[in-house]
Amino acid sequence: MIRHSVLFSFKPTASKEACEALLREYVDFPRIHKKMRNFTLGRNISQRDQTFEYAFNVDFDDEQDLKDYLNSREHEEHVVERFRPLVSVRAIVSYEVARGEVTNLFDRT
């Protein structure tokens, strides 16, 4: 299983309405992208690090399903037209979920 995680903060100049619309759009992602699993979205409540305001995680059965999502027209339109104009900082990580097995975690090739 591949987990795709996106952490982000809105620009101070982004309107509340535009930010809320973007967050609402994420709720529909699993309906639009059928290969998404276990989608979660939330506001950062950490007492230790407020670098990012929000995060979402989504699982895919395999790397090809993730690539299909990332290369889809809907994803590209979302990122270019709605995400980037509102977001000041972001971090994106996609990784194979280790389930009690760490043999390949240290392979940096």
Side-chain angles (χ1 to χ4, degrees):
M1 177 175 55
I2 305 296
R3 178 154 298 147
H4 180 64
S5 301
V6 178
L7 295 82
F8 61 97
S9 292
F10 289 112
K11 293 177 182 177
T13 56
S15 73
K16 180 180 178 184
E17 294 78 21
C19 295
E20 288 175 354
L22 184 77
L23 294 172
R24 277 193 305 276
E25 187 175 339
Y26 287 126
V27 175
D28 283 337
F29 269 30
R31 183 184 53 76
I32 296 166
H33 304 283
K34 301 292 187 195
K35 295 183 178 182
M36 286 184 157
R37 311 276 179 259
N38 306 319
F39 179 86
T40 61
L41 166 69
R43 187 179 184 98
N44 183 3
I45 60 169
S46 173
Q47 298 289 315
R48 297 178 180 227
D49 189 345
Q50 289 291 309
T51 304
F52 302 101
E53 290 180 273
Y54 291 90
F56 73 78
N57 292 285
V58 63
D59 296 335
F60 294 90
D61 290 339
D62 55 40
E63 196 170 347
Q64 187 57 54
D65 287 350
L66 170 63
K67 287 178 182 178
D68 291 346
Y69 158 69
L70 293 175
N71 293 318
S72 70
R73 179 185 55 79
E74 296 88 358
H75 178 266
E76 263 317 289
E77 285 178 2
H78 169 80
V79 169
V80 172
E81 297 174 11
R82 295 179 295 286
F83 183 80
R84 286 183 188 155
L86 296 176
V87 170
S88 62
V89 62
R90 56 113 171 106
I92 300 170
V93 177
S94 299
Y95 60 95
E96 189 168 0
V97 175
R99 300 225 183 251
E101 181 70 36
V102 295
T103 29
N104 294 324
L105 289 179
F106 298 102
D107 181 9
R108 293 181 142 186
T109 58

